[in-house]
């Protein structure tokens, strides 16, 4: 399965990444057996847990919607990743280095997809170097003067790949020198195309450029800041348009520089802008990141949650900053993170505080954070008359709207106590308000919730499904099936038949213990509820040999009946006596081959 990543690295990741731990970060799992766990399925709405995780085989399967596979398949389904991104994310988590390779030995589509992404990475990398060179070679340009004014030294500009886009012409000349096609330059987002003439133009002109890198340090796009008081297009910041490698809602500025710091400190500092994040890094707090000029997203929250459960929001201390804090709280609270807010006296932002007070000033600010609940409390007097029963009740209802997001009971009790003291009401009253909020939320969810999708109906006949389960779970059953059934009786290109034949081959070669890993590999490209169910369910049989012979006999009876009906249909549609005689002979031959009852042999 060539995807440009050595197979030995994929296998090492399978052995080192515990699927219970990975899935448990987003799904509350409870032990249901010696090696199994259960929880509510993250892929469809349900009230009774039907999602099972098998720790021994490192597989999962939902008996409600049918999704299943290994740890890679889970990340692909849960996070919307492709396989390569799932591998790279797990490799980063496990501290495994994946060598870059252009040797994509797999099918054409996989090779073309990987090559296309590499070309986009290369275009962005080359443009990042071009923008940085332009900045350094033009020390009196508006961008260079702006950076000096903000106290950004050359070594920091180099580390974070900060640059400048020229005003006109030079960017297009550079694009022509790269050797990439016009379509590739447009797809990468560095150039646009005039609708009438078809000619290319620079997307970034006369702006300060921040290179945006993905989680693994590859340049994927740019965030460009206007240096004009009133930009001609009215936009202070523009980002690369959405591309196959640039999804701004899934990217965090400076994350490649912050990953190790976040893990080491078990802390992430979320800033509003790039220069604020850089200020923290310069002050020695190498765990700061920033969204790309847009609202914080659920995808960005999930990325941070992979590294830490402690987050400090370093947003502006104004009304807009308070709104941003509360929007982020709505996203982060359900993830059970410890959420604090940075408060800087005088309304300064982190970059300004660093420039005036240095690293000690930022350190002091980080030591004096407040709870998100305190920020919420500060906004209440602006909306409600807290001296009136009605106003205080409305304020309690708003607080309950946030408290209902909490999943952990201990967290909830602590926040309820704080909120009750803040509002000067009893905890019992606040719990009552919370219960009402949760009832309303449940009703709203029920109204808008799509109907749960049942597990897809089996594509297999009952005996073939039984044979699949037996062959996957018992080597002796797989060998017996291989003896009783001819290869043409199991011919087909469905994932279930492929899995069954794979099980037979592994058993014959005394490699049946390696079968789960091989099937997990297969499920990455061809998901099958039947296969993942068989891997997780561990069916038990009192007499395995009898179960095999009975299933083989029943399979043949079904297929013989299907063949008989098919021949009768052909006989009815025969256009002449010769054809009728032919189909009569076929039916007679089929009847003569009828085995004795219970005999699986033909």
């Amino acid at each position: 399965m060539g995807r440009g990543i050595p197979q030995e690295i994929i296998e090492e990741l399978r052995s080192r990444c515990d699927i219970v731990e990975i899935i448990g970060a987003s799904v509350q799992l409870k032990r249901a057996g010696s090696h199994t766990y259960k929880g509510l399925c993250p892929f469809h709405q349900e009230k009774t847990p039907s999602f099972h995780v098998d720790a021994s085989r490192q597989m999962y399967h939902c008996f409600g919607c049918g999704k299943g596979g290994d740890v890679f398949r889970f990340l692909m389904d849960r996070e919307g990743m492709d396989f390569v991104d799932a591998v790279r994310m797990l490799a980063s988590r496990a501290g495994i280095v994946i060598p870059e390779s252009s040797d994509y030995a797999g099918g054409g589509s996989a090779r073309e997809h990987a090559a296309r992404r590499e070309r986009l990475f290369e275009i962005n990398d080359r443009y990042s170097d071009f923008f940085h060179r332009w900045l350094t070679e033009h020390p009196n340009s508006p961008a260079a003067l702006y950076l000096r004014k903000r106290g950004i030294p050359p070594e920091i500009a180099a580390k974070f790949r900060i640059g400048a886009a020229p005003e006109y012409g030079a960017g297009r000349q550079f694009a022509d020198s790269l050797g990439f096609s016009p379509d590739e330059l447009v797809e990468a987002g560095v150039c646009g195309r005039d609708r009438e003439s078809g000619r290319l133009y620079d997307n970034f002109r006369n702006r300060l450029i921040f290179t945006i890198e993905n989680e693994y340090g590859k340049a994927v796009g740019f965030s460009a800041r206007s240096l004009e008081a009133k930009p001609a297009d009215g936009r202070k910041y523009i980002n690369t348009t959405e591309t196959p490698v640039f999804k701004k809602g899934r990217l965090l500025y400076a994350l490649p520089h912050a990953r190790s710091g976040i893990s080491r400190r078990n802390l992430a500092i979320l800033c509003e802008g790039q220069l604020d994040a850089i200020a923290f890094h310069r002050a020695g707090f190498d765990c700061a990141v920033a969204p790309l000029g847009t609202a914080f997203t659920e995808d960005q929250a999930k990325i941070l949650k992979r590294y830490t459960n402690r987050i400090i929001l370093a947003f502006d201390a104004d009304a807009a900053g308070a709104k941003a804090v509360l929007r982020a709280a709505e996203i982060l609270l359900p993830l059970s993170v410890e959420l604090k807010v940075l408060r800087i006296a005088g309304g300064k932002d982190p970059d300004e505080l660093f420039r005036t007070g240095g690293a000690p000033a930022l350190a002091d600010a980080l030591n004096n954070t407040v709870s998100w609940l305190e920020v919420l409390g500060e906004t209440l007097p602006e909306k409600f008359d807290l001296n009136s029963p009605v106003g205080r009740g409305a304020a309690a209802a708003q607080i309950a709207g946030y408290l209902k997001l909490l999943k952990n009971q201990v967290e909830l009790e602590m926040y309820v106590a704080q909120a009750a003291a803040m509002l000067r009401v009893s905890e019992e009253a606040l719990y009552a308000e919370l219960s009402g909020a949760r009832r309303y939320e449940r009703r709203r969810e029920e109204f808008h919730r799509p109907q749960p999708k049942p597990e897809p109906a089996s594509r297999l006949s009952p005996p073939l499904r039984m044979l699949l389960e037996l062959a996957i779970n018992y080597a002796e059953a797989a060998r017996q099936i291989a003896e009783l059934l001819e290869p043409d009786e199991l011919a087909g290109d469905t994932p279930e038949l492929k899995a069954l034949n794979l099980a037979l081959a592994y058993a014959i070669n005394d490699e049946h213990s390696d079968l789960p890993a091989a099937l997990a590999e297969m499920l990455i490209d061809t998901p099958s509820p039947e296969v993942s169910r068989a891997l997780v369910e561990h069916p038990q049989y009192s007499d395995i040999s009898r179960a095999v012979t009975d299933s083989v006999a029943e399979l043949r009876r079904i297929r013989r009946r299907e063949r008989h009906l098919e021949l009768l249909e052909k006989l009815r549609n025969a256009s002449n006596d010769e054809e009728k005689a032919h189909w009569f002979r076929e039916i007679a031959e089929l009847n003569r081959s009828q085995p004795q009852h219970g005999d699986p042999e033909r």
Side-chain angles (χ1 to χ4, degrees):
M1 188 177 296
R3 299 184 180 91
I5 297 175
Q7 187 64 28
E8 58 269 21
I9 288 181
I10 295 173
E11 294 305 326
E12 183 178 1
L13 284 171
R14 274 206 183 93
S15 66
R16 290 178 58 176
C17 295
D18 181 8
I19 193 171
V20 176
E21 180 185 349
I22 300 295
I23 294 180
S26 57
V27 178
Q28 187 173 358
L29 298 174
K30 294 183 178 180
R31 186 178 288 276
S34 59
H35 51 72
T36 58
Y37 296 80
K38 291 174 63 175
L40 294 175
C41 180
F43 304 116
H44 79 281
Q45 296 286 347
E46 63 178 9
K47 295 180 179 179
T48 303
S50 59
F51 183 81
H52 290 232
V53 181
D54 187 311
S56 63
R57 285 180 168 170
Q58 292 290 290
M59 298 288 294
Y60 72 92
H61 176 81
C62 176
F63 290 86
C65 68
K67 285 190 178 292
D70 66 354
V71 66
F72 300 114
R73 184 76 251 175
F74 179 80
L75 290 177
M76 292 164 70
D77 288 338
R78 179 68 169 162
E79 307 293 344
M81 298 178 173
D82 61 19
F83 175 75
V84 172
D85 283 342
V87 171
R88 292 189 180 280
M89 195 280 279
L90 289 174
S92 172
R93 179 190 182 101
I96 296 174
V97 176
I98 298 178
E100 296 297 333
S101 170
S102 58
D103 181 19
Y104 294 93
S109 60
R111 180 170 61 252
E112 291 168 0
H113 174 72
R116 175 187 176 199
R117 289 172 63 87
E118 288 300 321
R119 295 277 283 182
L120 296 179
F121 289 143
E122 185 178 354
I123 291 172
N124 282 293
D125 186 66
R126 298 282 294 277
Y127 258 84
S128 177
D129 290 344
F130 166 71
F131 290 141
H132 183 68
R133 281 199 311 274
W134 184 269
L135 175 70
T136 58
E137 292 170 1
H138 296 80
N140 294 317
S141 66
L145 294 174
Y146 176 82
L147 288 181
R148 284 204 294 275
K149 178 182 177 183
R150 300 297 293 261
I152 303 295
E155 63 272 17
I156 294 298
K159 176 181 178 179
F160 287 91
R161 305 182 75 174
I162 302 174
E167 190 167 1
Y168 293 106
R172 281 293 301 116
Q173 294 174 12
F174 175 71
D176 292 338
S177 72
L178 289 179
F180 293 99
S181 71
D183 287 343
E184 287 177 313
L185 295 170
V186 171
E187 184 179 35
V190 293
C191 291
R193 192 192 304 272
D194 185 87
R195 292 183 179 179
E196 295 183 0
S197 68
R199 297 181 62 183
L200 298 189
Y201 58 84
D202 296 323
N203 271 339
F204 303 108
R205 298 185 297 273
N206 194 31
R207 286 176 177 263
L208 180 69
I209 300 292
F210 295 92
T211 299
I212 307 302
E213 298 171 314
N214 67 11
E215 203 167 345
Y216 318 107
K218 286 183 172 290
V220 294
F222 303 96
S223 182
R225 187 191 194 282
S226 174
L227 299 173
E228 300 173 326
K230 293 184 178 181
D233 58 8
R235 295 181 294 173
K236 182 178 180 180
Y237 277 93
I238 59 173
N239 293 311
T240 296
T241 54
E242 297 280 301
T243 76
V245 298
F246 186 87
K247 311 289 184 185
K248 66 181 179 181
R250 299 180 184 175
L251 294 164
L252 287 163
Y253 181 73
L255 182 58
H257 301 282
R259 283 191 312 165
S260 61
I262 293 173
S263 297
R264 186 179 68 255
R265 296 172 179 270
N266 187 25
L267 172 68
I269 302 172
L270 184 65
C271 306
E272 282 200 43
Q274 290 99 339
L275 291 178
D276 290 335
I278 290 173
F280 278 109
H281 281 263
R282 294 178 67 192
F285 299 100
D286 55 347
C287 54
V289 295
L292 304 184
T294 56
F296 186 57
T297 68
E298 290 186 12
D299 287 330
Q300 291 165 337
K302 290 174 183 176
I303 291 172
L304 290 180
K305 175 64 177 177
R306 293 204 299 260
Y307 294 99
T308 181
N309 59 3
R310 295 173 60 229
I311 295 175
I312 293 176
L313 303 178
F315 295 165
D316 290 345
D318 54 13
K323 289 182 179 179
V325 165
L326 297 179
R327 282 197 301 267
E330 291 178 349
I331 295 171
L332 289 166
L333 290 179
L335 300 181
S336 292
V337 299
E338 180 185 326
L339 187 59
K340 299 288 188 179
V341 181
L342 189 77
R343 307 307 293 269
I344 300 176
K348 295 180 179 179
D349 58 37
D351 175 57
E352 185 180 1
L353 182 63
F354 176 74
R355 282 186 281 118
T356 57
L362 281 182
D364 287 343
L366 290 173
N367 287 328
N368 291 282
T369 56
V370 299
S371 166
W372 64 271
L373 184 59
E374 186 172 330
V375 175
L376 175 59
E378 291 171 355
T379 68
L380 297 178
E382 303 170 5
K383 304 174 184 178
F384 311 107
D385 180 4
L386 299 183
N387 294 317
S388 75
V390 173
R392 193 171 299 181
Q398 183 168 50
I399 290 178
Y402 286 88
L403 296 180
K404 76 178 189 300
L405 301 174
L406 297 167
K407 307 295 185 185
N408 184 282
Q409 187 64 30
V410 175
E411 289 181 65
L412 177 61
E413 289 183 5
M414 294 182 67
Y415 280 122
V416 165
Q418 294 173 25
M422 183 171 66
L423 284 176
R424 301 193 304 279
V425 300
S426 69
E427 293 181 25
E428 290 75 13
L430 198 52
Y431 272 118
E433 191 66 46
L434 178 60
S435 296
R438 284 178 166 169
R439 283 196 300 272
Y440 171 78
E441 186 70 16
R442 282 196 295 270
R443 292 194 190 103
R444 191 180 67 84
E445 286 180 357
E446 288 291 339
F447 181 78
H448 293 286
R449 177 184 298 163
Q451 290 299 314
K453 294 182 179 179
E455 183 169 359
S458 174
R459 293 181 288 189
L460 303 179
S461 63
L464 194 55
R465 180 180 183 180
M466 179 78 79
L467 291 174
L468 176 66
E469 293 177 350
L470 286 161
I472 286 177
N473 287 283
Y474 301 98
E476 64 269 31
R479 284 190 285 267
Q480 186 180 356
I481 294 167
E483 292 175 0
L484 292 177
L485 288 172
E486 297 296 330
D488 64 339
E489 294 184 86
L490 296 176
D493 60 357
T494 67
E496 294 81 15
L497 284 171
K498 289 180 180 178
L500 179 51
N501 283 294
L502 196 63
L504 304 189
Y506 270 64
I508 292 170
N509 293 322
D510 293 325
E511 298 173 345
H512 197 265
S513 61
D514 296 330
L515 178 64
L519 293 178
E521 190 85 357
M522 187 196 81
L523 290 173
I524 290 170
D525 290 325
T526 53
S528 163
E530 296 285 6
V531 176
S532 60
R533 172 195 282 268
L535 281 163
V536 169
E537 198 166 23
H538 293 284
Q540 301 294 316
Y541 303 92
S542 57
D543 188 339
I544 292 175
S545 179
R546 179 64 181 272
V548 170
T549 55
D550 286 352
S551 296
V552 169
E554 180 63 18
L555 177 66
R556 284 176 171 161
R557 278 195 293 273
I558 290 174
R559 289 184 171 176
R560 186 174 289 105
R561 186 164 58 248
E562 291 173 347
R563 178 61 176 164
H564 188 263
L565 293 173
E566 179 186 345
L567 292 174
L568 286 175
E569 182 68 19
K570 290 181 181 295
L571 177 62
R572 280 194 294 269
N573 294 327
S575 59
N576 54 56
D577 290 342
E578 183 179 353
E579 280 189 32
K580 290 180 180 179
H582 170 75
W583 296 122
F584 267 123
R585 288 193 298 272
E586 289 286 327
I587 293 172
E589 179 63 29
L590 181 67
N591 289 335
R592 279 194 299 273
S593 67
Q594 180 81 17
Q596 296 297 317
H597 180 70
D599 182 4
E601 301 296 337
R602 289 201 284 187

